[in-house]
Amino acid sequence: MELKTRDRGFWLVAGALALLLAALITTLVVNVPINLAEAGWNVSNPPGDWADIRDRWQVGHAVRTFAAFLAFGALSAAAARQPIRRRSLQPAPA
């Protein structure tokens, strides 16, 4: 199938998939390593650059939240474009 013949719904779903992958990659590359490092911190004696690490975690969290929010919007728009198909309540002929 040519790219020109794909409808808008396809591109909305493809974009949502890309955004969800970006959210997952951001989580794995930014947030998870910071969470693992923080698990070993001493609360009464945090590392000297703890504020920078916290800020990096916050940015990663904001990026993945925004990507997930946009993905939800794209999937909602794709679903809204689909016609509602009503099933007949009549039994199928045998």
Side-chain angles (χ1 to χ4, degrees):
M1 181 180 284
E2 263 185 60
L3 292 179
K4 293 179 184 178
T5 62
R6 305 257 170 129
D7 68 344
R8 186 173 294 165
F10 170 82
W11 293 112
L12 286 168
V13 171
L17 177 61
L19 287 164
L20 289 172
L21 285 173
L24 176 65
I25 290 169
T26 301
T27 299
L28 295 175
V29 171
V30 178
N31 297 100
V32 169
I34 293 173
N35 288 347
L36 293 174
E38 287 180 348
W41 288 1
N42 183 346
V43 176
S44 61
N45 188 21
D49 63 344
W50 71 270
D52 293 332
I53 295 170
R54 178 207 55 208
D55 293 344
R56 214 169 50 238
W57 189 94
Q58 289 285 359
V59 169
H61 179 64
V63 167
R64 70 181 177 167
T65 300
F66 187 66
F69 181 74
L70 288 177
F72 179 76
L75 287 174
S76 297
R81 294 178 49 80
Q82 295 298 317
I84 297 174
R85 295 187 183 126
R86 297 183 187 267
R87 292 181 19 183
S88 173
L89 297 177
Q90 302 293 331

